[in-house]
Amino acid sequence: ALIVAAVIGVWALFGKLADSETDWHQLVAELGSTNENRRWRAALGLAQVLRNQQIAPGTDEVLLARQPEVAVALSKLLQESMDSKSTDDKEVKNQEFLARTLGALEADDIVLPMLAKAVASDKNIEVRKSSMMSLAMIAGRKFEAQAGTGDEVPALDAPLSTPTIEDESVTEQLKQAAQDPEPAVRHLAAFVLGLVSGQAAVEQLKVMLLDGDPMTRA
């Protein structure tokens, strides 16, 4: 009964955090707390608000995805977690969560360099995969805006004239990921490169058509 009550209490807490009345400035401030529990509660609260705004955006509420303060605070928390070099499963899960959350933000100048660091080969494989999926989310939004309208994106007769992501740190990491020893990383790199488009990305994809992994070739 106590466990069930605790679960309900946590659910109610996050529901409250997701309300439009939530002071997101306070949540951002708590990301800098020295108390680990407060930091992660704030991170979860912000992620919940972001998710709710994606599902049912309000007409008069502040869009957290476009607030630089949110991007800076979440990026800083991810950087600190990675700097700890901890291999603890809980810490790795936290890094995965933060990497996935960054994909919902629209602050490329802050988010993209951070994701490039999280994709690097010295990071945990699950964190790298989560970071790659966030890059796909960011590139995908821009791809749809450039290449098509509505829910269906038309096939392209040629690469986009302007790549969806032009951050040099991301471009370099994608090149390295395309040659990574881990098939899952190469597979995701191909997926992201397709959404980045542009001539350079397409040339890299042509090389990857000869990859030993069938999912990457597909």
Side-chain angles (χ1 to χ4, degrees):
L2 288 172
I3 292 173
V4 172
V7 170
I8 293 174
V10 171
W11 175 80
L13 171 63
F14 290 144
K16 182 178 179 182
L17 286 173
D19 285 343
S20 58
E21 297 176 359
T22 299
D23 186 350
W24 64 270
H25 290 284
Q26 181 180 349
L27 292 176
V28 170
E30 289 190 354
L31 288 179
S33 171
T34 56
N35 185 304
E36 181 181 3
N37 291 328
R38 289 183 64 184
R39 286 201 306 272
W40 291 109
R41 279 201 301 268
L44 286 168
L46 284 171
Q48 186 64 49
V49 175
L50 283 165
R51 190 176 299 112
N52 288 352
Q53 289 186 343
Q54 287 179 321
I55 296 172
T59 56
D60 57 352
E61 61 183 343
V62 175
L63 291 178
L64 294 195
R66 298 177 182 173
Q67 302 307 309
E69 301 99 310
V70 175
V72 169
L74 291 173
S75 296
K76 182 179 179 182
L77 191 57
L78 176 56
Q79 182 67 69
E80 290 174 353
S81 181
M82 293 192 301
D83 287 345
S84 70
K85 305 294 183 183
S86 173
T87 57
D88 178 73
D89 185 62
K90 178 182 177 182
E91 196 67 31
V92 171
K93 292 294 184 184
N94 288 340
Q95 292 175 22
E96 289 182 63
F97 162 75
L98 288 170
R100 289 194 299 268
T101 302
L102 290 179
L105 305 182
E106 299 176 30
D108 291 0
D109 56 329
I110 301 168
V111 170
L112 290 178
M114 187 69 253
L115 288 174
K117 293 179 182 180
V119 166
S121 59
D122 62 334
K123 301 301 185 296
N124 177 277
I125 181 66
E126 297 304 323
V127 176
R128 297 180 70 197
K129 288 159 64 175
S130 292
S131 302
M132 202 82 76
M133 288 307 299
S134 279
L135 289 174
M137 288 173 62
I138 294 170
R141 289 196 298 267
K142 296 176 180 294
F143 187 98
E144 290 182 5
Q146 289 193 49
T149 57
D151 296 330
E152 295 186 5
V153 178
L156 299 180
D157 295 326
L160 295 176
S161 57
T162 302
T164 57
I165 293 179
E166 297 184 277
D167 183 275
E168 292 184 5
S169 61
V170 171
T171 301
E172 181 58 34
Q173 287 300 333
L174 287 176
K175 288 180 181 178
Q176 295 185 29
Q179 306 171 57
D180 197 88
E182 176 58 52
V185 173
R186 300 199 305 276
H187 172 202
L188 286 171
F191 184 65
V192 177
L193 285 166
L195 292 170
V196 169
S197 194
Q199 193 60 49
V202 171
E203 292 303 319
Q204 182 68 62
L205 287 170
K206 289 179 180 178
V207 174
M208 298 180 79
L209 285 170
L210 303 176
D211 195 276
D213 173 51
M215 291 297 293
T216 301
R217 294 198 302 274

